[in-house]
Amino acid sequence: MLPLLLISIAIAPCSVLGLWPIPRNLQTGTTLVKLPSTFDIKVDVNNPPQDLLDAVGRTKSYLQTDKLQRLAVGRGANDSAALGTAPTLPSLCISLLNSAPPRPIAVEAVLPIGTRSEGYSLTVPSDGSSAVLTASSTLGLFRGLTTFGQLWYDNSGTTYTYQAPVKIVNDSPAFPYRGFMLDTARNFFPVSDIKRTLDAMSWVKLNTFHWHVVDSQSFPLDIPAFPELASKGAYSSSEIYSAANVKDIVSYAGARGIDVLMEIDTPGHTTAIAASHPEHIACNQASPWSSFANEPPAGQLRLASAATASFTAQLISSIAQTLPSTLFSTGGDELNINCYVRDPQTQADLSKSGRTLEQALNTFTQSTHKALTDLGKTPVVWEEMVLEHAVTLPQNTVVMVWISSQHAAAVTAKNFRIVHGPSDYFYLDCGTGESIGSDPFANSWCDPFKTWQKAYTFDPLANLSTAQQSLVLGGQQLLWTEQSSPENLDSIVWPRAATSAEVFWTGATLPDGTARNVDAALPRLHDIRYRMVRRGVRAIALQPHFCALRPGVCDLHA
């Protein structure tokens, strides 16, 4: 009867507690398998790229240092007796499915959106033979290594899994874009914080770091062709991302399967440029700021000025050409019309050219986007550029929907590809009060706090036709940092930002055929949160430890 028992286990789909995002197909058993001290990961790849070898090394290190006990009463103590006779897994063998020369993970990670190969297959047997991981690319192997690393727990120094055999076939993302955005202009974040965030992103298979690097409050980005922007626009000389820092961050991200999408928001959110180039900024520091901007300080690029348009195009080109990503964002949100109405130079430029403000905005945007398309880059914009302004955009432009999830239909109706980042689901800073002073009763504009449960219920295809659904690239959660800094970065982002990782990797359906739901997600989200903490990310608790050890006991009607 033993062979029949093993067969029934192997075909019964269930969820391995620690896997996040859960694979789109998954078969597991109930056998304990342990790793011997001689366990190794064997790379059967001709001339393996160094970043693949480094990823293997990190995986082996995590296996040795995670020391995460099972989230169960007793922390897995009941497994101790059975572990003595449990089969061992001698090795994990990884290989590519094609014979083409392998490309580095970092190269695969920045291929045009929709062309990246992130799929993998993984088998972890329970009979003492080796585990096998295969993929069509080094990026896929990296995703599989991430899954493999989440299977293991510690029991008195023994590293083991308790749900072997594990079989995952052709696990690949439901959506090609799975991101996280960090604003580094309102408050500065050292490179070490960004790298730690990139690590955590990679552990849940997020693949795009949207870097909102500059804004009205500060310009911390050193662009070699425009050194004055950072030297005069940053908060201090120690709060600047040098060209070397940018290269380091991009390289670090790429090795972890992450594309860096940089944003230079224009023509709004640009007051910091006035510190070095006041001639390009309208209503600089105008008061009251609320009449000229969505938040202080007021100031926008003089979009009707040919000189300003040329300056901006050169600025964007100078930084974009140093980045490997095919995507680059020019922003375009929250344009304050009153600023331009009240700016004498803008009005004079409009009068001289015989253009309306919208026509001038179109010319300005055409200029900045040409700077990108000349480099082979794809422009990314916020939704206002499509829904509020008469701007002609390249049809391949990627539009970020942020004001409301209800706006996705209107953008896709214009046949633009979208990235979901709606404030009503994915804004991590909502519900934490207001950064504006002199108002003791102020709340954030996007209250309430966006819980992980709220984010997890998001439906990327809601209210979209079949044709419109094909335009959805994926989505991201975002951290605007008016009230965030290195001190609370980890706790406000993790594990909440991991929810969209599963929404856009796994899709609507869990591997057992049921709809994605918060009840099934919570025990696994607990698990990845505890693993993040073991790896040095100060992710916040979701429940009391008592509840985490007893899935379902703390449910509302338990």
Side-chain angles (χ1 to χ4, degrees), residues 49 51-52 55 103-110 138-139 142 254-257:
D51 59 7
L52 176 61
R103 294 183 291 199
I105 296 169
V107 172
E108 299 281 353
V110 299
T138 56
L139 180 58
F142 178 69
R256 286 152 183 79

Side-chain angles (χ1 to χ4, degrees), residues 444-519:
S444 63
W445 72 272
C446 55
D447 271 7
F449 183 88
K450 303 301 181 259
T451 65
W452 77 264
Q453 294 97 327
K454 171 76 171 179
Y456 194 74
T457 63
F458 183 73
D459 179 0
L461 306 180
N463 304 315
L464 301 179
S465 68
T466 301
Q468 289 174 305
Q469 290 176 3
S470 67
L471 297 170
V472 178
L473 294 177
Q476 63 183 9
Q477 283 173 270
L478 309 89
L479 180 61
W480 302 104
T481 61
E482 287 88 348
Q483 294 181 292
S484 294
S485 63
E487 288 73 23
N488 72 337
L489 173 63
D490 290 6
S491 60
I492 200 168
V493 174
W494 305 111
R496 278 194 297 159
T499 56
S500 58
E502 181 155 295
V503 168
F504 294 106
W505 178 283
T506 306
T509 306
L510 297 174
D512 63 1
T514 61
R516 179 168 37 83
N517 63 89
V518 296
D519 293 341

Side-chain angles (χ1 to χ4, degrees), residues 89-418:
L89 186 76
S91 62
L92 168 66
C93 299
I94 71 173
S95 62
L96 291 172
L97 295 172
N98 56 64
S99 58
R103 294 183 291 199
I105 296 169
V107 172
E108 299 281 353
V110 299
L111 292 175
I113 192 77
T115 69
R116 303 165 193 166
S117 175
E118 299 185 77
Y120 67 93
S121 296
L122 173 66
T123 301
V124 179
S126 58
D127 61 1
S129 58
S130 293
V132 175
L133 168 63
T134 59
S136 297
S137 72
T138 56
L139 180 58
L141 291 178
F142 178 69
R143 301 295 183 223
L145 285 169
T146 300
T147 299
F148 182 79
Q150 294 176 352
L151 290 169
W152 306 94
Y153 298 87
D154 178 78
N155 186 305
S156 300
T158 297
T159 300
Y160 74 108
T161 187
Y162 62 94
Q163 289 184 309
V166 177
K167 185 176 182 180
I168 300 168
V169 179
N170 296 326
D171 182 31
S172 60
F175 296 90
Y177 185 111
R178 306 174 310 282
F180 167 69
M181 191 219 77
L182 179 65
D183 159 23
T184 59
R186 272 59 180 237
N187 283 303
F188 182 83
F189 293 80
V191 172
S192 59
D193 290 303
I194 294 176
K195 285 184 173 181
R196 189 176 65 256
T197 300
L198 292 168
D199 280 331
M201 289 174 63
S202 74
W203 299 335
V204 292
K205 300 185 177 70
L206 291 176
N207 70 351
T208 306
F209 177 56
H210 176 185
W211 191 2
H212 186 91
V213 62
V214 300
D215 210 288
S216 287
Q217 292 80 4
S218 75
F219 200 105
L221 178 65
D222 181 28
I223 302 175
F226 297 87
E228 70 280 3
L229 290 172
S231 66
K232 294 186 177 181
Y235 287 130
S236 72
S237 60
S238 64
E239 294 170 292
I240 293 175
Y241 302 107
S242 68
N245 291 151
V246 172
K247 183 178 181 180
D248 185 24
I249 289 169
V250 169
S251 175
Y252 194 90
R256 286 152 183 79
I258 297 170
D259 189 16
V260 176
L261 162 59
M262 186 176 284
E263 178 185 353
I264 305 292
D265 202 353
T266 62
H269 292 276
T270 47
T271 319
I273 291 175
S276 56
H277 291 279
E279 70 276 15
H280 293 310
I281 300 299
C283 51
N284 178 31
Q285 308 285 338
S287 180
W289 63 262
S290 56
S291 295
F292 300 93
N294 279 49
E295 64 179 46
Q300 302 180 152
L301 286 166
R302 287 190 165 114
L303 56 82
S305 164
T308 299
S310 177
F311 165 84
T312 307
Q314 292 177 45
L315 166 64
I316 288 173
S317 178
S318 293
I319 184 61
Q321 66 184 295
T322 69
L323 303 169
S325 180
T326 61
L327 300 174
F328 191 96
S329 177
T330 61
D333 63 318
E334 296 184 330
L335 205 59
N336 186 286
I337 302 303
N338 183 57
C339 169
Y340 293 125
V341 170
R342 302 277 294 273
D343 181 51
Q345 181 174 329
T346 297
Q347 291 304 307
D349 288 334
L350 291 174
S351 178
K352 182 179 179 180
S353 66
R355 295 176 299 176
T356 66
L357 185 62
E358 284 296 310
Q359 289 170 335
L361 175 60
N362 186 49
T363 300
F364 176 90
T365 305
Q366 296 273 354
S367 174
T368 56
H369 284 188
K370 184 178 185 301
L372 293 173
T373 56
D374 284 351
L375 295 171
K377 308 286 186 182
T378 299
V380 180
V381 297
W382 296 109
E383 65 175 77
E384 292 98 315
M385 297 299 282
V386 172
L387 299 182
E388 297 182 11
H389 300 292
V391 174
T392 302
L393 300 171
Q395 200 57 58
N396 70 337
T397 300
V398 175
V399 181
M400 293 190 165
V401 177
W402 71 275
I403 296 174
S404 169
S405 58
Q406 298 301 310
H407 293 179
V411 177
T412 52
K414 294 179 180 289
N415 205 34
F416 285 105
R417 297 178 297 169
I418 66 167

